[in-house]
Amino acid sequence: MYDSLPGYEGIAAGGDGAYLPPPMPSVPMPDDHAASHPEWQDNIPSISEARACQAFEEYVSSKCCYSSAPVRDGIITNMESFNTYRYRLETFKESRTTKWSQEPYTGQRVDAGIQRPPGPWEIAAQPPSYFTDHKETIRVPYTSSVKKCNSCSGMGKNPCSSCTGTGSKVCSGCNGSGKRPDNESCNKCDYRGHEKCSSCGGIGFNNCGTCDGKGQLLVFINLKVKWSTEKDDYLPQDSSGLRPEKLKKVSGKELFKDAQIMVYPVMGFPDVSVAQASERLIRDHQVKHTKDSRILQQRQTIELITITRVNYTWKEKPYVYYVYGNELKVNADDYPATCCCSVM
């Protein structure tokens, strides 16, 4: 049913095809150059005791089962500031797949054979703004032809599945006997024991759902273009004791931002593990995402995320809570005054 067209041999009918390798990039891959920043910030910002108490109070008031007594009566014994960094690499890429598609033929333009169809990566597609995910389907020029519908053998109709093509079914009122249970004649089927099939109107056939009764299909190749952003984060270990996963939902102070088609690893950063992560992730993205995609833009950022560990006592017992991120989120796993609530 599907022709073999140059550049599109062996593509799948129906479901999505495999991603197609892009042409060689016009921009060379980054070499051993590196992105540097002359003034890395290495001091540790801190928050005041009053601000830590306010954040703690807001956190406790948002919990329906938390008593405010530790906030009101607790005594802060020590506050210690920590910092950690989040390195983030984002790769905005374009991927393309092709597949055979079809629709009922109603006189649409037929252009297969007029000239060679353009290759999958030769077709123009306008990308969205960088780092904005989007999809677009484009009909490939010079691939459209008319074929007989396989589902109905070009007839435009198929036997009705409800009545198997007879146009009638056993009467539901008399079960085919012509008489009702009270032995009276059945007027629902006019005493015949059969009634007209409601699915096909008594014709015995229904329009073919594949070609919509036309008997012919326009078959063509669709190009699916997908723009997507691949993102990886790196968080080095810190000595605060706060679980790293807590930092995923907070933001930090941006220390560094670099965006270009292909970014270079950072260098000279105070935390060596961040520089190493930059080099590793950039290499991994460029190897992984150039096999079946075209990289349009990369962006790397480094954020400073502040963490304040607050030690306090309540009823002469020690406890701890953390205030972290620009949002001053609070984590207090060992909060000492909780209760179980039930809704009556």
Side-chain angles (χ1 to χ4, degrees):
M1 183 171 178
Y2 302 111
D3 299 325
S4 179
L5 298 175
Y8 295 90
E9 297 87 353
I11 66 172
D16 291 340
Y19 287 112
L20 303 169
M24 291 296 292
S26 57
V27 177
M29 298 279 281
D31 50 24
D32 57 355
H33 291 86
S36 61
H37 192 287
E39 297 178 358
W40 294 116
Q41 178 177 339
D42 56 5
N43 61 308
I44 303 176
S46 60
I47 62 173
S48 66
E49 182 175 314
R51 192 66 189 92
C53 290
Q54 181 184 353
F56 192 34
E57 182 179 0
E58 292 171 356
Y59 167 77
V60 171
S61 65
S62 69
K63 304 289 186 179
C64 64
C65 298
Y66 281 26
S67 166
S68 62
V71 178
R72 184 178 62 250
D73 304 327
I75 300 173
I76 292 179
T77 58
N78 182 49
M79 288 179 54
E80 190 173 1
S81 296
F82 299 83
N83 67 346
T84 190
Y85 303 99
R86 174 166 51 220
Y87 173 82
R88 174 171 291 166
L89 176 64
E90 297 169 278
T91 294
F92 182 63
K93 66 177 187 175
E94 177 182 321
S95 307
R96 298 191 173 201
T97 61
T98 55
K99 72 170 185 177
W100 279 106
S101 301
Q102 61 188 36
E103 61 185 34
Y105 178 64
T106 57
Q108 301 95 311
R109 172 179 167 81
V110 177
D111 58 10
I114 295 178
Q115 66 180 66
R116 183 185 184 278
W121 287 96
E122 297 173 355
I123 298 172
Q126 181 61 43
S129 301
Y130 287 151
F131 308 104
T132 301
D133 291 359
H134 183 62
K135 293 180 180 180
E136 185 176 341
T137 299
I138 302 171
R139 184 173 298 186
V140 178
Y142 310 114
T143 63
S144 298
S145 61
V146 178
K147 303 293 182 182
K148 181 174 71 174
C149 177
N150 279 345
S151 298
C152 63
S153 299
M155 300 294 293
K157 57 186 179 180
N158 289 310
C160 175
S161 58
S162 296
C163 64
T164 62
T166 62
S168 63
K169 299 195 297 184
V170 173
C171 176
S172 58
C174 64
N175 200 26
S177 67
K179 292 186 177 183
R180 301 195 306 248
D182 58 6
N183 213 30
E184 293 292 328
S185 296
C186 179
N187 54 14
K188 183 177 182 180
C189 62
D190 202 19
Y191 324 123
R192 295 194 302 266
H194 286 77
E195 58 183 332
K196 183 170 66 173
C197 175
S198 59
S199 297
C200 63
I203 301 175
F205 292 89
N206 287 318
N207 271 358
C208 174
T210 302
C211 65
D212 196 27
K214 309 301 181 184
Q216 291 181 307
L217 295 171
L218 183 76
V219 298
F220 50 90
I221 296 175
N222 263 338
L223 171 70
K224 288 193 173 183
V225 187
K226 177 183 177 182
W227 293 276
S228 59
T229 303
E230 302 294 333
K231 181 177 69 175
D232 277 302
D233 290 350
Y234 170 75
L235 279 163
Q237 291 289 334
D238 70 90
S239 56
S240 67
L242 180 67
R243 297 198 305 275
E245 61 268 18
K246 292 292 182 181
L247 302 176
K248 292 181 179 179
K249 296 182 178 180
V250 298
S251 60
K253 179 182 179 181
E254 188 175 279
L255 301 181
F256 173 70
K257 183 177 182 179
D258 175 35
Q260 49 187 308
I261 296 178
M262 295 284 189
V263 297
Y264 295 93
V266 298
M267 65 178 297
F269 194 72
D271 189 324
V272 176
S273 69
V274 172
Q276 292 172 341
S278 169
E279 183 177 4
R280 174 176 54 82
L281 290 176
I282 289 173
R283 182 177 61 250
D284 290 349
H285 274 223
Q286 289 166 354
V287 170
K288 179 180 179 182
H289 301 304
T290 54
K291 290 180 179 178
D292 56 11
S293 307
R294 178 163 57 188
I295 294 178
L296 302 182
Q297 188 80 351
Q298 287 187 311
R299 180 170 62 194
Q300 58 180 342
T301 55
I302 299 177
E303 295 172 277
L304 172 68
I305 303 176
T306 60
I307 304 171
T308 301
R309 184 170 64 194
V310 182
N311 293 280
Y312 70 101
T313 59
W314 182 65
K315 292 186 177 181
E316 300 181 350
K317 291 184 178 180
Y319 300 97
V320 64
Y321 67 88
Y322 296 89
V323 184
Y324 56 98
N326 287 345
E327 298 80 1
L328 297 181
K329 282 190 171 293
V330 171
N331 177 247
D333 289 339
D334 63 348
Y335 192 73
T338 62
C339 63
C340 295
C341 299
S342 60
V343 178
M344 301 302 291

